Amino acid sequence: MSTSVVENCDLCWKCQSLLNTQYPEGLVTTEINETRQEPDKKQIRIIKTFDSVEVTASNGCILCLHLLHALGIPARAALRQLTSAIDGTSPDIVYEEGIFLSEGDPPGIGLHVDPDNLHLGWNSGNEVKSLIQLFPEAEIAPFVGHGEVSVNTNSDTSWSVVENWLDECAKSHKSCNRLMATEPSLPSRVIDLGSGEPRLVVVTDDTPILPYATMSHCWGSHMPLMLLSSNIAELQKRIPISQLSKSFQDAFLITQRLGLNYIWIDSLCIVQDIVADWERESQYMSEVYSNSYCNIAAAHAVDGTYGCFIERSPDLVKPLKVNLNWGPNPGTYYAVQWLYWRENVMNMPLHRRAWVCQERYLAPRNLYFGATQLYWECCGRVASETFPLGLPARVGAPSKGLDPHIDGARRRKGLGLSEAPDLDAFSLWDLIISTYSKGNLTHSTDKLVALSGLAGRMQKHTRSQYLAGMWRKHLAYQLLWKASGIQWVVSTSRHEVYTAPSWSWASRHGHIEDACVVLHADDHEIVLEILDVGVELVSDKNHFGQVKSGFLRLRCSLAKTGVYLEESPKNRGSFRLIVNGLRVGSASVDDYSHESDPVMHHGLYYLPVRYNARYEEVNLGGVTMSVPGAAGIILQGAGPETQSEFVRVGTFEVFSSPKDFQFACRQYSRELRQVEAGYDSEQWGAKWDIVIL
């Protein structure tokens, strides 16, 4: 890399102090960290000032502008709250900016604002912080855009980029075009934009079959016009544009700019006040999105009032180059937001809607209208106006592909698991559930319905019976899912109305992890026997849809006596697994509620699912981690009248002394005088036949 003598004169003095050879020593702290575990030297510069990053950004420092934008929507809102006047005076807020140089990793520039000592109702556990990574010019330059950037995303320059994406995809991406039906078809209803005024078309054999767009959007509280039984005849004559939301009006324009006559939008193509119509149409959601030409995604819009297009600062779209003039590798770098795709696309309001997960995966092409620019996603390319030729490898983006041997194999590798082609489909399902469960649903009864199209597609690869979001093959491993809270889903409690049996992840709110992590194809670690399992569907017409009951009959070991959970006082919500006074592992509780003091849970049952006497490790992103020697689920009696029916209430892992946990199982057997009964084993004690509801 060539060195540079340019001293970043277009940046504010704080950013210059981080990047340049000279800096005010009285204000800037420098450190060199080196540990036995990490012998590579980490060089750090940190500057703390009262100078507002909002002010320096508005005064023309583009790096500060990017740091401010990289905070994300919730953190920027919190920062506005922190900087607002209190009793007529603004609080003194310390802005900490730093640069971090470490061998083997891109340099990083971070912003951190600590609100812990300010009483503004901002949770101390949350942080106002952002990070920008610096990539060498030669690595990024082939991907960046060098053309004009307009102040509006509905500009000829933006549309020129979109046209290039579409043209390349249609001509060069075999996988994208293979996803579209070989025999083109239309949904049961579409909106026709090519015959004068927009109108609803009920598709018949005489309807011309033409390519159509679909739309992904947040309903929010603003839905001025939707399809109802009372207006379906009128909307077939004319859809009054003035009565549509801004997002729908923009979607009509976008469809026409894409050269299409038809668009499908859920609230205008499904009768909203007829349950039978919704149930019928929801069964075909997979085909609707899979057969579309392009999906229009209003990513930044919280509701229909926002629209798709935005006014923006071109400086947030143009590639930002800075000169690093110190450290082991001085030179010219491109500044790119950390977790670029996740922060600018996947964390946008649209992806907080669970339905969108299925829409994103099934559509052959997604055109995202973001907070600062347009983004493109198909199976052949992920791009943006900043990177119109595709995202550089180290900037990266998650794939939306549904090829198990590509996307599932990549997931297994990312989890540090060994190659196992027979398990790739299950690993892909694990990724899908992790993504899907981050979203919200207005109606919890849609939990399985909103995933039914993807489930139907994936069954062709798993070749297994579908059971309320899980697969019969390798089901034991799937019982070990965990629920955790995320930024916009703070509860991990069970749904108020029935959505799934307790052993299924679909029974819970919150982000689901480890929904389908199958370690070994032969299930040799599994220490329980599944005797029978079943679910009762609400409608026999949708085998992947809503369920109204379910059971899981097992032959298994149990521990109870001397085993309990103890909440960590320093990491609330995290529990220690205690066996006969010894801490042997950790646990998570499905229905967690924060109490004023740490709690303990006694009287629960502990069912081992997998056990491996050999020590195993996995490599996660270069970090070696041990695999628990034993793992299982935590149960509670289903009622006082039964001792053989249970509900799941959590999971546990045993990292040390798994033999102590085995002893606890034998201890429970002896306590109930069942050691001599059938199904006894030397290690685990008695085997019990139980049912989990």
Side-chain angles (χ1 to χ4, degrees):
M1 183 186 304
S2 61
T3 60
S4 173
V5 294
V6 180
E7 290 287 292
N8 301 290
C9 58
D10 54 340
L11 303 182
C12 71
W13 72 271
K14 295 184 296 181
C15 293
Q16 290 185 44
S17 298
L18 297 178
L19 294 165
N20 292 347
T21 54
Q22 301 297 319
Y23 58 89
E25 295 191 19
L27 295 175
V28 179
T29 302
T30 60
E31 302 177 17
I32 297 179
N33 291 342
E34 183 177 3
T35 65
R36 181 177 302 173
Q37 292 77 18
E38 300 182 47
D40 294 337
K41 293 181 179 179
K42 291 184 177 180
Q43 301 182 58
I44 303 171
R45 279 188 187 178
I46 295 176
I47 181 169
K48 297 181 180 181
T49 73
F50 293 123
D51 286 5
S52 165
V53 69
E54 299 99 315
V55 172
T56 50
S58 63
N59 287 341
C61 180
I62 300 177
L63 183 52
C64 281
L65 179 67
H66 279 256
L67 283 168
L68 184 63
H69 172 73
L71 287 173
I73 295 174
R76 284 202 301 273
L79 186 59
R80 284 194 297 270
Q81 180 188 19
L82 294 174
T83 55
S84 62
I86 301 176
D87 298 329
T89 61
S90 296
D92 289 332
I93 298 176
V94 175
Y95 295 82
E96 178 181 304
E97 294 183 35
I99 185 168
F100 316 93
L101 308 184
S102 178
E103 294 182 21
D105 295 320
I109 297 178
L111 167 69
H112 180 233
V113 182
D114 186 2
D116 283 355
N117 57 355
L118 298 171
H119 304 288
L120 298 175
W122 174 248
N123 294 331
S124 61
N126 295 326
E127 293 183 292
V128 178
K129 64 179 182 180
S130 63
L131 179 65
I132 287 176
Q133 291 180 299
L134 303 182
F135 295 96
E137 180 180 22
E139 178 181 345
I140 303 298
F143 300 90
V144 300
H146 299 283
E148 177 189 351
V149 177
S150 171
V151 296
N152 189 291
T153 48
N154 186 21
S155 63
D156 289 341
T157 54
S158 292
W159 279 111
S160 176
V161 175
V162 173
E163 289 167 3
N164 288 336
W165 289 334
L166 276 168
D167 185 62
E168 184 205 25
C169 182
K171 292 180 178 178
S172 306
H173 298 167
K174 293 181 180 179
S175 58
C176 298
N177 294 291
R178 189 167 56 245
L179 288 174
M180 303 180 71
T182 54
E183 296 183 5
S185 62
L186 290 174
S188 60
R189 304 182 188 102
V190 292
I191 300 165
D192 184 2
L193 304 175
S195 305
E197 289 192 278
R199 66 185 182 92
L200 180 70
V201 173
V202 177
V203 176
T204 66
D205 291 341
D206 297 327
T207 304
I209 297 179
L210 301 171
Y212 65 92
T214 51
M215 186 180 188
S216 292
H217 65 102
C218 290
W219 283 49
S221 58
H222 185 75
M223 190 63 65
L225 180 66
M226 62 180 66
L227 183 61
L228 303 170
S229 56
S230 59
N231 65 7
I232 186 169
E234 185 65 29
L235 295 186
Q236 289 181 72
K237 300 175 183 176
R238 170 180 170 270
I239 295 176
I241 293 180
S242 61
Q243 294 183 29
L244 294 174
S245 70
K246 183 70 168 63
S247 292
F248 287 4
Q249 292 179 33
D250 288 349
F252 283 12
L253 187 154
I254 293 163
T255 301
Q256 293 172 321
R257 287 296 301 250
L258 293 174
L260 306 177
N261 287 339
Y262 296 152
I263 183 173
W264 185 93
I265 301 176
D266 50 7
S267 60
L268 291 176
C269 294
I270 301 176
V271 184
Q272 299 300 307
D273 59 347
I274 299 180
V275 174
D277 192 73
W278 183 90
E279 290 179 345
R280 181 176 60 254
E281 294 298 319
S282 66
Q283 296 177 48
Y284 302 108
M285 207 71 77
S286 173
E287 288 82 359
V288 169
Y289 281 90
S290 296
N291 296 335
S292 71
Y293 180 75
C294 183
N295 184 46
I296 299 165
H300 77 283
V302 174
D303 58 36
T305 62
Y306 283 66
C308 296
F309 304 114
I310 48 92
E311 300 289 328
R312 63 187 177 182
S313 167
D315 287 331
L316 284 172
V317 182
K318 296 176 183 177
L320 173 60
K321 283 199 289 188
V322 298
N323 294 288
L324 179 61
N325 296 308
W326 67 281
N329 297 299
T332 302
Y333 289 79
Y334 278 98
V336 182
Q337 182 178 0
W338 183 58
L339 300 175
Y340 176 84
W341 186 261
R342 190 184 80 176
E343 295 300 323
N344 289 290
V345 177
M346 300 307 294
N347 279 358
M348 285 291 102
L350 177 66
H351 287 285
R352 300 179 191 178
R353 183 172 177 249
W355 279 94
V356 173
C357 174
Q358 176 171 263
E359 297 164 8
R360 170 187 172 239
Y361 270 103
L362 294 177
R365 307 176 180 100
N366 290 303
L367 178 58
Y368 294 102
F369 290 78
T372 61
Q373 59 180 299
L374 305 183
Y375 301 87
W376 173 264
E377 182 184 41
C378 66
C379 291
R381 171 165 291 183
V382 176
S384 66
E385 289 184 83
T386 300
F387 300 110
L389 300 180
L391 266 59
R394 287 204 292 173
V395 173
S399 169
K400 76 172 214 69
L402 292 175
D403 186 331
H405 298 309
I406 296 176
D407 305 288
R410 185 185 296 119
R411 176 68 168 181
R412 286 192 66 82
K413 183 177 180 181
L415 294 174
L417 303 178
S418 59
E419 291 185 13
D422 290 345
L423 300 178
D424 287 343
F426 297 93
S427 297
L428 178 54
W429 186 249
D430 179 69
L431 173 62
I432 290 171
I433 299 306
S434 176
T435 303
Y436 172 73
S437 61
K438 293 177 182 177
N440 265 332
L441 289 165
T442 303
H443 305 289
S444 58
T445 49
D446 291 346
K447 189 77 171 187
L448 292 169
V449 180
L451 192 67
S452 58
L454 271 175
R457 177 76 68 85
M458 287 301 299
Q459 190 181 51
K460 298 175 183 178
H461 301 296
T462 63
R463 299 177 182 178
S464 179
Q465 180 186 5
Y466 187 68
L467 299 161
M470 306 167 82
W471 305 102
R472 176 62 181 86
K473 192 182 295 184
H474 306 301
L475 179 59
Y477 277 115
Q478 298 168 67
L479 299 176
L480 298 172
W481 55 265
K482 304 181 187 69
S484 61
I486 57 176
Q487 190 173 15
W488 51 81
V489 183
V490 296
S491 170
T492 60
S493 61
R494 196 180 304 279
H495 297 288
E496 293 183 3
V497 297
Y498 188 89
T499 59
S502 69
W503 43 266
S504 167
W505 60 265
S507 65
R508 320 302 305 181
H509 288 292
H511 179 211
I512 302 298
E513 298 173 329
D514 300 337
C516 198
V517 179
V518 183
L519 299 183
H520 303 285
D522 61 2
D523 291 351
H524 69 266
E525 297 180 312
I526 302 304
V527 292
L528 58 76
E529 180 183 357
I530 297 176
L531 303 177
D532 196 10
V533 60
V535 296
E536 185 179 6
L537 296 168
V538 170
S539 171
D540 292 335
K541 296 179 180 179
N542 188 355
H543 297 289
F544 305 99
Q546 187 179 354
V547 301
K548 55 185 175 182
S549 67
F551 71 92
L552 176 63
R553 184 171 292 112
L554 304 175
R555 182 164 293 162
C556 59
S557 304
L558 289 174
K560 182 182 181 184
T561 306
V563 186
Y564 64 93
L565 303 181
E566 178 181 82
E567 187 176 12
S568 169
K570 294 183 178 180
N571 187 16
R572 302 298 299 277
S574 176
F575 288 83
R576 302 159 176 162
L577 179 67
I578 309 298
V579 176
N580 294 321
L582 298 175
R583 178 183 178 183
V584 299
S586 60
S588 63
V589 175
D590 295 339
D591 279 320
Y592 175 73
S593 59
H594 185 87
E595 304 292 342
S596 57
D597 296 313
V599 299
M600 291 190 293
H601 292 291
H602 294 272
L604 301 175
Y605 297 82
Y606 299 82
L607 188 162
V609 173
R610 55 164 295 271
Y611 170 72
N612 193 339
R614 298 179 302 170
Y615 179 78
E616 285 191 7
E617 294 180 339
V618 295
N619 189 288
L620 290 174
V623 179
T624 300
M625 302 180 66
S626 61
V627 177
I633 56 178
I634 307 172
L635 306 176
Q636 188 175 49
E641 304 301 323
T642 176
Q643 294 185 359
S644 61
E645 293 186 344
F646 299 85
V647 293
R648 180 197 136 131
V649 295
T651 59
F652 68 89
E653 296 177 329
V654 179
F655 286 95
S656 61
S657 305
K659 292 188 179 298
D660 288 334
F661 182 78
Q662 289 178 316
F663 174 78
C665 292
R666 296 196 299 272
Q667 185 178 13
Y668 182 62
S669 299
R670 288 195 299 269
E671 181 179 298
L672 297 187
R673 299 180 181 178
Q674 293 293 321
V675 175
E676 300 301 325
Y679 323 126
D680 188 26
S681 68
E682 180 181 355
Q683 291 182 315
W684 297 99
K687 293 286 187 178
W688 312 88
D689 287 0
I690 68 169
V691 175
I692 306 177
L693 302 175

